[in-house]
């Protein structure tokens, strides 16, 4: 009502923040908060709200999911790769095998041209990924990285071989 009938997006954002505090796991509320943060330029307020909330979540998996979301906003919406990386590393501190966190961290390291760290993350992701297609995709990305960015043919061949065995 605040947004559509009264043309008060700021008030709508405040109401959604209150709803988020009541139930941080509601995806609909999260999507609406993201949309309003984007249209009103209130990313700082949204990130402050989420960062405060995530520290009080007792379930490590739920908290890790939220840290990944925070990292995505920092990296994808605001272009703050350092904060994005720190946020996703928080997620991995809570859930070391968190596939989405590993994917997001790999994306940020790639954008930052941090090749050695990217190789480490891709290797870790390939170890824990349960979906064989995603595992193969990760191994091929790792092989490409070893070959093209790091100039390490031996490790590239090993990654390609792992991809073939996984595809087996």
């Amino acid at each position: 009502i605040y947004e559509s009938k009264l043309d008060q997006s700021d008030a709508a954002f405040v109401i959604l923040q209150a709803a988020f505090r009541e139930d941080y796991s509601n995806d609909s509320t999260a999507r609406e908060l993201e949309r309003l943060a984007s249209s009103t330029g209130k990313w700082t307020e949204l990130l402050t709200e989420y960062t405060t909330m995530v520290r009080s979540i007792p379930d490590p998996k739920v908290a890790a999911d939220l840290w990944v979301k925070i990292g995505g906003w920092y990296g994808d919406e605001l272009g703050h790769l350092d904060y994005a990386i720190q946020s996703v590393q928080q997620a991995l501190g809570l859930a070391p095998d968190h596939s989405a966190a590993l994917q997001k961290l790999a994306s940020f390291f790639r954008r930052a041209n941090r090749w050695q760290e990217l190789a480490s993350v891709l290797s870790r992701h390939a170890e824990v990924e349960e979906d064989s297609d995603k595992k193969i995709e990760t191994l091929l990305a790792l092989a490409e990285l070893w070959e093209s960015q790091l100039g390490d043919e031996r490790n590239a061949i090993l990654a390609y071989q792992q991809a073939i065995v996984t595809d087996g």
Side-chain angles (χ1 to χ4, degrees):
I1 291 174
Y2 275 113
E3 182 184 17
S4 62
K5 303 288 185 201
L6 300 174
D7 197 28
Q8 295 181 14
S9 296
D10 288 347
F13 185 82
V14 170
I15 297 299
L16 282 170
Q17 281 181 302
F20 174 75
R21 282 189 290 276
E22 291 298 316
D23 181 8
Y24 54 80
S25 65
N26 186 303
D27 286 334
S28 176
T29 302
R31 280 191 302 278
E32 285 301 303
L33 265 172
E34 288 176 51
R35 185 183 61 74
L36 278 175
S38 187
S39 69
T40 61
K42 291 189 173 284
W43 283 109
T44 301
E45 291 88 339
L46 179 64
L47 285 163
T48 299
E49 183 80 24
Y50 269 62
T51 302
T52 300
M53 181 63 69
V54 74
R55 291 190 167 107
S56 66
I57 297 174
D59 183 335
K61 169 70 170 101
V62 173
D65 289 344
L66 195 50
W67 276 117
V68 172
K69 187 177 294 255
I70 291 168
W73 290 334
Y74 273 124
D76 300 332
E77 300 296 334
L78 300 174
H80 296 303
L81 286 179
D82 288 340
Y83 292 142
I85 289 168
Q86 289 172 10
S87 297
V88 176
Q89 287 173 331
Q90 288 282 344
L92 290 169
L94 296 169
D97 295 346
H98 197 287
S99 183
L102 290 165
Q103 286 176 323
K104 198 55 107 166
L105 189 57
S107 158
F108 295 147
F109 282 152
R110 187 174 286 110
R111 285 172 43 191
N113 298 327
R114 292 168 62 173
W115 307 125
Q116 204 62 49
E117 291 158 302
L118 175 58
S120 177
V121 169
L122 288 174
S123 179
R124 176 73 182 131
H125 186 198
E127 286 176 21
V128 302
E129 182 58 62
E130 294 178 8
D131 180 280
S132 63
D133 289 338
K134 289 181 183 177
K135 183 176 190 137
I136 291 167
E137 182 181 316
T138 303
L139 286 166
L140 291 174
L142 179 60
E144 161 73 21
L145 175 67
W146 281 118
E147 184 178 0
S148 65
Q149 296 299 329
L150 297 171
D152 186 333
E153 291 178 11
R154 186 178 82 62
N155 277 323
I157 290 169
L158 289 173
Y160 281 126
Q161 287 173 333
Q162 284 180 304
I164 291 169
V165 168
T166 301
D167 194 29

